[in-house]
């Protein structure tokens, strides 16, 4: 698996590169800014990029713009955006109309090595990785006539993990459930929330996020 | 008193004329002359009185009264007794010279210029001294008590010289008036010109009369009548001028009424120009900090270089100059009008100046407040950035290192446990740092604008929030920051005090303003001064020239509306 990294903090960039390399990934590019990253991508196919949302020169929105550009220009390349703050608005902007091959995580998640590597792999494979904070913000959002109240506690846990981009197997592993049980919960959730059943995992991520957002 | 004396004097003149000459109706000349002389006396005494009352400071009125009484005294020539006759005769030529004096002393009773003073002095000498010389040489017959050495031929020569000289002086007076008329300015030109013309015409008639009588020309009697009529009319013309000045004072009343309204500087100039009937009038403001006068638009003015037809009248308050009127020279002839107008304008100008000063200070204050908030904001942004690039990054890298170490020490459970604990500590520190940094400055705002930043704020709110942001593109950063805090602080207030079940947030651009409105359905009655943070919000909004309003009726929810101009 070929990975490119764009992160202006050398310390962190090298740490992430080492982490990814040690887990057997091929880190083909380490860049300090978005321009360099885009140049590297143009010359070399990459499965996934890990990009900091604040990059030089202005440290405002360069990383996000680069991520959006990569999504448009290299649809087969997964984009995992890292940030010191996760913002719901930015997540929605980044996802736009598809959660396929997109990740948006708090930078702190790096140190949970297993989870982080799983997220990188998921995004590289066209899946999604949405930070738990985003999902919990959406889940705890106050609503009048809240449809989430119709869910059981277990169903809410499943919904939470589902919205983060986990596969049914991933959810089953985390909650120590059988795959069949998870599938049952998922279908129950979709029925209770009156969501149409969707095919891929990334599609259901978007559907769930959009549902929770409104 | 003086009026009665004047009327009495006129009556006496008339009586003397009638009794002395023993006139019959058929004797036209003495009767007509008596009536005209009486009218002349009355005209000067009464008009002089009015002028005196109107302008006590001016000597012009008293001069006119004096002319009237001397005119009466000269009629003593009609007396039957020798002493008054002699006295009247001695004063016989004094009235025309006094009229000359009066005309040249207009308007303030003073003779301006050495040549004019010399002219009048010479006229007096000619009128009195040569009259006495004539009397000495036995002119005016046997009742002349001053007769010394009768010599009719010499007396006749002196008479001709005297009358000719007076004529010449009168004509010289006409010349003086003509030059003054040329200098008279625009606004008073009509009334002044008429008066000066009346004076000049009287002098011409006098000169003509004296030349005719010196050389025994024809129609002397008729010329005398006409001259008297002309002379008597001059004060009437003067009175008309006075009346007009009074009308001008009523225009002053209008001015004062206008000044009560809040006048713009250019309107003040126009109001003054109307009241003073000088369309050329200009208003100059004194700028103490620049030590100069300036016009309404702030351009410096040099008051020393105005040309001959314009002069300056200073307006001061408490001894300090506040402004100056640049006006037509002729306005100086109406000093009370000018004084009243400048007094009225002084108040208005001072008022306007204070307002301008207040506005300037307010602008300065607003500017410094905005700069303070800007500086504070910049400092907070810098701190957030330092935290982000420094401590936060290092802690994350450290945590990552610990994770890698943990994997390597996978078999050593004691080591992994303490590493795990260390990582948890780091995670807590990171969270705390993140809160601090976010509190310092919401970085997402700088990078991605109001809509994106508010989405998280609304999602985290304690009540369901409907957020509508209608902005085309980004706003100035300080506006975004202010709008962001208005929303986030209002949501904090709603969480703490409102007991609301829902809220709406609307952000839109309207009429060059960003309008931010937060409405909840809570209990209302919010304390807008203490504890709610609304005061701080108002400061922030007002520093940007905006306005924050809060409607919070008891039981009726709370509405916070901020309008900030997009510069």
């Amino acid at each position: 698996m070929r990975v490119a990294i764009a992160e202006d903090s050398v310390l962190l960039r090298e740490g992430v590169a080492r982490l990814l390399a040690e887990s057997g990934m091929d880190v083909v590019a380490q860049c300090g800014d978005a321009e360099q990253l885009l140049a590297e991508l143009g010359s070399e196919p990459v499965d996934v990029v890990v990009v900091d949302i604040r990059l030089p020169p202005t440290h405002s929105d360069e990383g996000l713009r680069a991520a959006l550009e990569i999504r448009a220009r290299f649809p087969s390349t997964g984009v995992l955006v890292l940030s010191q703050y996760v913002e719901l608005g930015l997540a929605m902007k980044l996802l736009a109309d598809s959660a396929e091959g997109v990740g948006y995580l708090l930078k702190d998640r790096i140190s949970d090595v297993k989870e982080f590597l799983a997220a990188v792999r998921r995004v590289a494979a066209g899946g999604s990785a949405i930070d738990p904070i985003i999902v919990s913000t959406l889940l705890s959002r106050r609503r009048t006539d809240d449809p989430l109240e119709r869910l059981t506690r277990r169903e809410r846990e499943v919904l939470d993990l589902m919205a983060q981009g986990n596969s049914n197997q991933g959810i089953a592993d985390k909650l120590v459930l059988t795959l069949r049980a998870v599938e049952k919960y998922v279908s129950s959730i979709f029925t209770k929330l009156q969501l149409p059943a969707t095919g891929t995992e990334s599609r259901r991520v978007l559907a769930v996020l959009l549902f929770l957002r409104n | 008193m003086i009026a009665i004396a004047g009327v009495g004097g006129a009556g006496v003149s008339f009586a003397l004329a009638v009794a002395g000459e023993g006139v019959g109706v058929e004797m036209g000349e003495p009767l007509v002359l008596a009536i005209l002389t009486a009218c002349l006396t009355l005209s000067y005494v009464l008009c002089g009185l009015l002028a005196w009352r109107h302008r006590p400071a001016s000597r012009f009125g008293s001069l006119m009264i004096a002319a009237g009484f001397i005119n009466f005294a000269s009629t003593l020539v009609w007396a039957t007794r020798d002493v008054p006759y002699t006295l009247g005769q001695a004063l016989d030529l004094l009235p025309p010279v006094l009229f000359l004096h009066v005309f040249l002393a207009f308007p303030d009773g003073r003779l301006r210029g050495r040549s004019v003073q010399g002219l009048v002095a010479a006229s007096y000498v000619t009128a009195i001294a040569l009259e006495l010389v004539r009397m000495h040489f036995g002119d005016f017959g046997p009742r002349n008590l001053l007769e010394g050495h009768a010599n009719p031929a010499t007396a006749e020569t002196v008479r001709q010289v005297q009358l000719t000289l007076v004529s010449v002086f009168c004509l010289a007076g006409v010349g003086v008036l003509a030059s003054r008329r040329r200098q008279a300015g625009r606004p008073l030109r009509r009334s002044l010109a008429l008066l000066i013309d009346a004076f000049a015409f009287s002098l011409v008639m006098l000169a003509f009369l004296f030349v005719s009588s010196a050389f025994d020309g024809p129609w002397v009697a008729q010329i005398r009548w006409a001259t008297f009529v002309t002379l008597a009319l001059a004060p009437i013309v003067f009175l008309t001028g006075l009346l007009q000045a009074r009308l001008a004072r009523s225009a002053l009343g209008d001015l004062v009424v206008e000044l009560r309204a809040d006048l713009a500087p250019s309107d003040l100039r126009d109001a003054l120009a109307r009241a003073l009937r000088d369309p050329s009038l200009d208003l100059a403001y004194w700028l103490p900090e620049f030590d100069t006068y300036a016009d309404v638009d702030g351009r410096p003015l040099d008051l020393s270089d105005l040309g001959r037809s314009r002069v300056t009248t200073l307006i001061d308050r408490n001894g300090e100059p506040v402004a100056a009127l640049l006006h037509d020279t002729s306005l100086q002839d109406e000093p009370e009008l000018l004084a009243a107008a400048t007094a009225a304008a002084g108040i208005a100008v001072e008022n306007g100046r204070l307002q301008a000063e207040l506005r300037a200070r307010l602008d300065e204050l607003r500017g410094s407040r905005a700069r303070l908030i800007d500086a504070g904001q910049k400092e907070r942004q810098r701190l957030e950035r330092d935290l982000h690039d420094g401590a936060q990054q290092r802690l994350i890298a450290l945590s990552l290192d610990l994770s890698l170490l943990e994997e390597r020490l996978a078999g050593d459970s004691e080591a992994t446990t303490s590493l795990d604990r260390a990582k948890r500590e780091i995670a807590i520190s990171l969270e705390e740092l993140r809160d601090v940094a976010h509190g310092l400055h919401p970085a997402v705002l700088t990078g991605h604008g109001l809509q994106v930043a508010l989405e998280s704020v609304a999602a985290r709110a304690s009540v369901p929030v409907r957020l509508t942001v209608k902005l085309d593109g980004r706003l100035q950063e300080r506006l975004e920051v202010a709008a962001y805090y208005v929303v986030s602080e209002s949501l904090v207030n709603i969480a703490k005090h409102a007991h609301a079940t829902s809220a709406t947030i609307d952000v839109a651009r309207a009429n060059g303003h960003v309008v931010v409105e937060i409405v909840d359905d809570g209990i209302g009655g919010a304390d807008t001064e203490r504890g709610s943070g609304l005061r701080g919000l108002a400061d922030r909004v007002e520093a940007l020239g905006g306005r924050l309003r809060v409607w919070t009726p008891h039981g009726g929810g709370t509405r916070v509306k901020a309008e900030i101009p997009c510069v």
Side-chain angles (χ1 to χ4, degrees), chain B residues 160-185:
Chain B
Q160 285 181 346
V161 168
Q162 182 200 31
L163 292 180
T164 310
L165 276 176
V166 173
S167 310
V168 169
F169 292 149
C170 285
L171 288 175
V174 172
V176 171
L177 289 176
S179 79
R180 192 172 294 172
R181 190 186 158 152
R182 258 206 312 281
Q183 285 173 19

Side-chain angles (χ1 to χ4, degrees), chain B residues 14-26:
Chain B
F14 185 69
L16 286 176
V18 174
E21 300 291 327
V23 275
V25 178
E26 73 281 4

Side-chain angles (χ1 to χ4, degrees), chain B residues 349-412:
Chain B
V349 169
E350 171 79 349
N351 198 4
R353 204 176 60 81
L354 284 175
Q355 274 186 13
E357 201 177 303
L358 193 67
R359 265 198 295 276
R361 285 191 197 283
L362 236 141
D363 284 350
E364 201 179 288
L365 195 68
R366 195 173 289 141
S368 70
R369 195 157 67 158
R371 282 194 297 278
L372 268 177
I373 287 181
D374 269 1
Q377 194 59 43
K378 284 225 163 63
E379 188 58 21
R380 292 164 72 128
Q381 269 178 31
R382 194 185 62 76
L383 281 171
E384 188 275 337
R385 179 82 179 274
D386 286 354
L387 280 179
H388 180 276
D389 295 349
Q392 283 177 308
Q393 301 274 36
R394 278 171 195 284
L395 280 175
I396 291 169
L398 178 62
S399 183
L400 179 57
D401 279 347
L402 291 182
S403 297
L404 294 173
L405 190 61
E406 201 178 3
E407 293 213 333
R408 239 168 263 153
L409 299 171
D412 187 341

Side-chain angles (χ1 to χ4, degrees), chain A residues 133-208:
Chain A
I133 289 184
I134 303 274
V135 179
S136 69
T137 303
L138 284 172
L139 283 173
S140 62
R141 178 173 201 160
R142 297 294 193 280
R143 296 171 177 83
T144 41
D145 189 22
D146 194 348
L148 297 184
E149 282 170 7
R150 278 172 253 157
L151 304 184
T152 64
R153 198 170 59 83
R154 192 54 116 180
E155 282 167 348
R156 286 179 70 117
E157 285 171 354
V158 172
L159 179 64
D160 191 340
L161 291 171
M162 190 163 69
Q164 290 179 36
N166 290 288
S167 62
N168 286 355
Q169 187 58 58
I171 297 169
D173 292 348
K174 278 179 181 149
L175 296 178
V176 201
L177 291 168
T178 62
L179 186 60
R180 254 192 79 77
V182 172
E183 281 167 355
K184 248 181 73 188
Y185 284 126
V186 170
S187 101
S188 165
I189 292 166
F190 272 70
T191 310
K192 284 184 177 174
L193 300 184
Q194 293 167 320
L195 284 171
T198 50
T200 66
E201 282 161 9
S202 62
R203 282 216 188 133
R204 78 181 185 188
V205 169
L206 187 66
V208 167

Side-chain angles (χ1 to χ4, degrees), chain B residues 282-286 293 303 312-315 322-326 349:
Chain B
D282 270 319
L283 190 58
Y285 290 91
W286 174 247
Y293 283 95
L303 300 194
T312 309
T313 300
L314 299 184
I315 303 176
V322 291
L325 292 181
L326 282 60
V349 169

Side-chain angles (χ1 to χ4, degrees), chain B residues 142-363:
Chain B
R143 288 163 58 208
N144 170 10
L145 299 177
L146 293 179
E147 182 180 317
H149 178 74
N151 186 340
T154 314
E156 176 59 15
T157 311
V158 174
R159 187 181 78 94
Q160 285 181 346
V161 168
Q162 182 200 31
L163 292 180
T164 310
L165 276 176
V166 173
S167 310
V168 169
F169 292 149
C170 285
L171 288 175
V174 172
V176 171
L177 289 176
S179 79
R180 192 172 294 172
R181 190 186 158 152
R182 258 206 312 281
Q183 285 173 19
R186 276 158 288 172
L188 285 181
R189 190 155 212 158
R190 254 168 54 195
S191 61
L192 244 190
L194 188 63
L195 185 56
I196 290 174
D197 289 349
F199 291 165
F201 186 56
S202 303
L203 291 178
V204 169
M205 289 300 288
L206 276 173
F208 188 42
L209 172 65
F210 290 133
V211 171
S212 320
S213 61
F215 301 102
D216 298 320
W219 304 103
V220 173
Q222 284 73 17
I223 291 170
R224 180 172 290 140
W225 297 347
T227 306
F228 277 37
V229 169
T230 316
L231 283 169
L233 279 178
I236 309 287
V237 176
F238 171 71
L239 261 193
T240 318
L242 270 191
L243 197 67
Q244 282 198 351
R246 182 157 297 177
L247 284 176
R249 277 210 193 172
S250 75
L252 260 186
D254 295 342
L255 172 67
V256 171
V257 171
E258 279 189 72
L259 292 184
R260 275 172 51 195
D262 192 9
L263 276 186
S266 58
D267 294 337
L268 175 61
R269 191 216 75 88
D270 294 347
L272 282 168
R274 270 198 301 281
L276 295 175
R277 287 169 297 140
D278 181 1
S280 73
L281 180 126
D282 270 319
L283 190 58
Y285 290 91
W286 174 247
L287 305 179
E289 58 267 47
F290 299 106
D291 208 29
T292 182
Y293 283 95
D295 66 9
V296 175
D297 300 321
R299 284 187 292 267
L301 283 177
D302 184 5
L303 300 194
S304 60
D305 185 26
L306 291 177
R308 263 175 38 171
S309 65
R310 276 153 71 81
V311 288
T312 309
T313 300
L314 299 184
I315 303 176
D316 55 21
R317 301 279 293 161
N318 308 322
E320 295 289 323
V322 291
L325 292 181
L326 282 60
H327 58 80
D328 209 292
T329 315
S330 61
L331 269 176
Q332 284 183 321
D333 299 335
E334 293 183 62
E336 313 87 341
L337 179 65
L338 206 50
T342 51
I347 298 168
V349 169
E350 171 79 349
N351 198 4
R353 204 176 60 81
L354 284 175
Q355 274 186 13
E357 201 177 303
L358 193 67
R359 265 198 295 276
R361 285 191 197 283
L362 236 141
D363 284 350

Side-chain angles (χ1 to χ4, degrees), chain B residues 44 99-106 177 180 199 202-203 231 234:
Chain B
Y44 278 80
F99 294 143
L100 175 69
H101 186 169
V102 168
F103 297 161
L104 295 184
F106 177 80
L177 289 176
R180 192 172 294 172
F199 291 165
S202 303
L203 291 178
L231 283 169

